[in-house]
Amino acid sequence: MAPVLPLVLPLQPRIRLAQGLWLLSWLLVLAGGLILLCSGHLLVQLRHLGTFLAPSCQFPALPQAALVAGAVALGTGLVGVGASRASLNAALYPPWRGVLGPMLVAGTAGGGGLLVIALGLALALPGSLDEALEEGLGTALAHYKDTEVPGHCQAKRLVDELQLRYQCCGRHGYKDWFGVQWVSSRYLDPSDQDVVDRIQSNVEGLYLTDGVPFSCCNPHSPRPCLQNRLSDSYAHPLFDPRQPNQNLWAQGCHEVLLEHLQDLAGTLGSMLAVTFLLQALVLLGLRYLQTALEGLGGVIDGEGETQGYLFPGRLKDMLKTAWLQGGVACRPAPEEAPPGEAPPKEDLSEA
């Protein structure tokens, strides 16, 4: 059977191939390490921002898959460093001859498959963030007042920290707070007629105001923060409701978080693509180096030319040979005569 994609490798090209593989393998180790750092950073971010994502959001699967793919890529790079370095020394290469083949198969099937899966998730999952943030932020704003309700006690603190850290207000803007009750009923005076009128005027019995929490206030504003009666132009004569960004955060948290998470996913996807290319080059080079050295008995500076290849024959021929060998192995062995009996002799006619 003719080998697939054969490549003739004299002495100097063999040495340069081993040296180039050593450098590419270190680059793969670096890329795998960076993927581990980036995916770990994204996991930490999602741990803090998971409250503001819908429970059905599958986006956390991206850094988890990338974490495993990065670890496999780092391991493949270390194998490439060791194998390429050992190939330059006839005394160090023999232990690699028996394990390099299975490692190449595992790296191609396992590592390549994981990188493809992680890269596919990096391309597909960021599109689901829009709806996940829409639902998650809406739920977080609705539970802002529930400081004494089990399961939602931390909602107020988390939303305030989010708005202060990312300099945003509401889901899409400060007016989102006008449609939710963000003041706990515990702090409302039931004898106040204004409070009673506001609750009775709402179909759901909520206390709605045209105000925002303190975390919406921009500390860089030169004037004191205006939190209440923001839609009343007569309440604050010097405040223009059409330009609230002079006093409140201008952006909604949905846009800020969506851009932030998509940027992290885009960076991780780019690194996964580069790592996939590096790993393909390293595995391809190791395969050619391995098959070339096998033709020389594992000695890179052996005399003469040798041939590297991907497969010893076409896939169809390889499967056919394996099938025939399997059929021969399954045939029953010829029956042997009992030890006490001699085989019958044929009568020879005399000439």
Side-chain angles (χ1 to χ4, degrees):
M1 294 183 294
V4 177
L5 296 178
L7 181 64
V8 177
L9 292 172
L11 175 60
Q12 290 302 320
R14 291 197 299 269
I15 295 177
R16 286 195 295 267
L17 175 61
Q19 293 172 342
L21 277 175
W22 182 84
L23 179 60
L24 280 177
S25 298
W26 276 119
L27 291 177
L28 181 58
V29 170
L30 177 61
L34 290 177
I35 286 180
L36 290 178
L37 291 176
C38 288
S39 54
H41 175 66
L42 184 53
L43 280 175
V44 172
Q45 292 290 307
L46 291 176
R47 182 180 179 182
H48 294 294
L49 300 176
T51 307
F52 309 109
L53 294 173
S56 60
C57 181
Q58 300 297 322
F59 186 75
L62 167 60
Q64 294 170 0
L67 195 67
V68 179
V72 174
L74 190 147
T76 304
L78 291 177
V79 169
V81 170
S84 58
R85 182 179 179 182
S87 66
L88 295 171
N89 190 333
L92 298 178
Y93 185 72
W96 287 91
R97 295 183 66 179
V99 299
L100 189 56
M103 287 183 176
L104 289 176
V105 174
T108 303
L114 286 171
L115 281 173
V116 170
I117 292 174
L119 188 57
L121 292 176
L123 295 175
L125 289 182
S128 64
L129 281 174
D130 193 354
E131 295 181 1
L133 286 171
E134 189 77 18
E135 179 182 344
L137 286 171
T139 303
L141 266 62
H143 291 295
Y144 182 87
K145 66 181 187 304
D146 300 331
T147 54
E148 297 180 356
V149 177
H152 303 291
C153 301
Q154 303 297 324
K156 179 182 181 301
R157 178 183 63 83
L158 293 174
V159 172
D160 285 334
E161 290 178 351
L162 173 72
Q163 296 188 142
L164 290 172
R165 180 179 179 182
Y166 290 94
Q167 301 182 359
C168 57
C169 181
R171 184 163 46 178
H172 297 288
Y174 75 99
K175 289 187 177 181
D176 290 332
W177 289 107
F178 297 178
V180 297
Q181 178 181 339
W182 54 274
V183 179
S184 175
S185 299
R186 178 184 178 183
Y187 304 105
L188 298 177
D189 185 3
S191 62
D192 189 337
Q193 189 60 39
D194 180 65
V195 173
V196 175
D197 292 342
R198 286 181 180 274
I199 293 177
Q200 291 180 349
S201 63
N202 185 265
V203 177
E204 299 178 359
L206 300 176
Y207 178 74
L208 304 182
T209 65
D210 54 350
V212 296
F214 78 96
S215 53
C216 280
C217 296
N218 185 351
H220 304 292
S221 175
R223 65 178 301 164
C225 182
L226 303 177
Q227 296 178 248
N228 301 313
R229 303 175 66 183
L230 294 175
S231 58
D232 188 355
S233 59
Y234 297 100
H236 311 288
L238 300 180
F239 175 72
D240 186 359
R242 295 170 297 181
Q243 297 180 346
N245 57 329
Q246 295 179 358
N247 188 252
L248 306 174
W249 298 123
Q251 286 186 294
C253 294
H254 180 278
E255 290 77 12
V256 174
L257 291 182
L258 182 63
E259 182 181 0
H260 175 63
L261 292 177
Q262 285 184 341
D263 287 345
L264 291 177
T267 302
L268 185 57
S270 300
M271 296 186 62
L272 286 169
V274 173
T275 304
F276 178 80
L277 178 62
L278 285 174
Q279 182 162 311
L281 291 175
V282 168
L283 292 174
L284 190 65
L286 283 176
R287 177 57 177 167
Y288 273 105
L289 183 62
Q290 177 206 16
T291 52
L293 293 183
E294 287 301 318
L296 296 172
V299 181
I300 194 171
D301 55 354
E303 297 182 359
E305 296 181 348
T306 185
Q307 192 179 62
Y309 51 84
L310 289 183
F311 302 105
R314 293 183 302 174
L315 181 60
K316 180 179 179 180
D317 296 335
M318 293 171 60
L319 293 176
K320 183 178 179 181
T321 302
W323 174 265
L324 292 176
Q325 290 177 349
V328 171
C330 294
R331 292 177 185 173
E335 297 183 359
E336 296 181 359
E341 299 181 2
K345 298 182 179 180
E346 297 182 358
D347 293 334
L348 299 177
S349 57
E350 294 181 359

